[in-house]
Amino acid sequence: MYEVAHRLRGTEGLRQWQEEQERKVRALSEMASEQLKRFDELKELKLHKEFQDLQEVMEKSTREALGHQEKLKAEHRHRAKILNLKLREAEQQRVKQAEQEQLRKEEGQVRLRNLYTLQEEVLQLNQQLDASNQHKESAECRPGCLPDPGQPAV
């Protein structure tokens, strides 16, 4: 009987030891499962944070690129305005010079016409003077002044 009782106690002890081991295995399994779950959650959070950081970097880069592009556009518009002003000024200067040249030509033509008119008047006056002088000389000339047709001229 002692042996049966001893065996029963041994069997009971073994059963309790097995149950204890099973509880420990379950506890370790649950703990490992929880750690794995936390690891997965942390990994997911880390990936999400990296994704957000990357997205923020991309958005910042895009904003900077757009800002730079707008700055370049503004500079281009400014340069275009300056070039247009210079072009307009150059065109105005060219037109002004052409107008001045045309005015000089017209003034030169007027002066030339006036000169021709004065030359014609001087010519007419000279012709009138020559005619008047010839008439005066012929009036002053006496019949004895003119050479005789038979006499040689002196």
Side-chain angles (χ1 to χ4, degrees):
M1 179 100 187
Y2 177 72
E3 288 179 16
V4 173
H6 185 57
R7 240 193 290 152
L8 281 178
R9 270 191 271 151
T11 306
E12 183 61 26
L14 183 61
R15 190 184 57 75
Q16 287 177 354
W17 182 81
Q18 278 182 327
E19 286 176 2
E20 181 64 27
Q21 293 304 318
E22 286 174 2
R23 276 195 301 271
K24 286 180 182 179
V25 167
R26 272 196 304 268
L28 284 174
S29 176
E30 287 174 6
M31 192 170 74
S33 178
E34 281 296 315
Q35 284 181 344
L36 184 60
K37 185 178 174 183
R38 271 187 263 135
F39 175 79
D40 287 343
E41 288 172 354
L42 288 174
K43 188 175 178 181
E44 188 176 325
L45 283 173
K46 184 179 176 184
L47 286 174
H48 183 69
K49 173 110 174 72
E50 287 176 357
F51 177 75
Q52 282 181 330
D53 291 346
L54 182 61
Q55 201 170 19
E56 287 174 10
V57 166
M58 288 174 60
E59 287 173 1
K60 182 181 177 185
S61 177
T62 301
R63 282 191 306 270
E64 288 174 356
L66 288 174
H68 184 68
Q69 186 178 17
E70 285 301 317
K71 184 179 176 183
L72 289 175
K73 282 182 184 178
E75 288 176 6
H76 177 72
R77 283 191 297 269
H78 180 69
R79 284 187 190 130
K81 284 180 184 178
I82 289 172
L83 288 175
N84 282 335
L85 285 174
K86 287 181 180 179
L87 184 62
R88 195 173 306 128
E89 287 173 5
E91 180 63 18
Q92 289 173 349
Q93 184 67 25
R94 187 194 65 74
V95 167
K96 184 178 177 181
Q97 287 175 346
E99 288 172 351
Q100 289 174 343
E101 183 64 29
Q102 182 64 28
L103 186 61
R104 279 195 291 272
K105 282 182 182 179
E106 290 171 1
E107 288 174 352
Q109 289 174 351
V110 167
R111 281 193 215 115
L112 193 58
R113 280 193 299 268
N114 289 340
L115 180 62
Y116 288 154
T117 302
L118 286 173
Q119 285 177 339
E120 286 178 16
E121 288 176 10
V122 167
L123 183 61
Q124 288 176 0
L125 287 173
N126 280 337
Q127 287 173 348
Q128 288 175 359
L129 277 176
D130 284 345
S132 174
N133 282 341
Q134 283 178 356
H135 185 342
K136 188 176 179 183
E137 284 177 7
S138 64
E140 285 180 2
C141 195
R142 297 181 214 114
C145 283
L146 293 172
D148 264 343
Q151 286 184 346
V154 184

